[in-house]
Every structure is written in structure tokens, then in C-alpha cells.
Amino acid sequence: MLMCKEATRLMSLKLDRKLTFQERVSLRLHLTMCHACRQCDQQFTLLHKIKNRLSLEPPQEENRK
Ligand SMILES: [Zn+2]
């Protein structure tokens, strides 16, 4: 069983790279049991989506004439 600290580490890790099968399973298991970390995971995912959307946005065109 993962500690919350370890689970949080995996959550942020999975935004940078694919987790190994074992890491995914451990995190999944922890999230099933731990409400706090489930909420934390949602926040991480949301933040990641926002970040992705911002970096995908085309540059502002105000400099173009
Ligand atoms: Zn936890």
C-alpha cells in the first residue's frame, strides 16, 4: 500500500512520463482507498489540462499588421 506522499509523487510523475504498469496499479489502488488523494489527482489532471490548453493556444496576433 502506497503512502499518500508516494501517491502524490506518482500523480505528478504521470504528467511527465508514462507510469510503469506497477506504478499505475499502485496509484490506482491507493486512489480507490484514499479520498484525499482522489481529489488531489483530479486537481493534478485539471491543472495539466489547463496547462496543455494554454501551450496549444496559437500566439496572439496583435503584432501582425
Ligand atoms: Zn492518500
Side-chain angles (χ1 to χ4, degrees), residues 56-62:
L56 283 178
E57 237 167 55
Q60 300 284 322
E61 298 203 358
E62 52 191 285

Side-chain angles (χ1 to χ4, degrees), residues 24-35:
R24 278 208 315 273
V25 171
S26 321
L27 181 59
R28 193 72 167 265
L29 251 173
H30 185 89
L31 290 181
T32 316
M33 326 264 289
C34 181
H35 181 68

Side-chain angles (χ1 to χ4, degrees), residues 11-27:
M11 281 178 226
S12 85
L13 200 62
K14 81 173 176 182
L15 302 180
D16 295 331
R17 67 157 170 88
K18 273 199 143 192
L19 297 183
T20 65
F21 179 72
Q22 206 182 10
E23 286 169 335
R24 278 208 315 273
V25 171
S26 321
L27 181 59

Side-chain angles (χ1 to χ4, degrees), residues 5-19 27 40-41 44-45 48 51:
K5 205 177 147 193
E6 181 71 1
T8 313
R9 197 181 65 85
L10 286 180
M11 281 178 226
S12 85
L13 200 62
K14 81 173 176 182
L15 302 180
D16 295 331
R17 67 157 170 88
K18 273 199 143 192
L19 297 183
L27 181 59
C40 194
D41 185 52
F44 263 114
T45 310
H48 190 61
K51 212 177 87 184

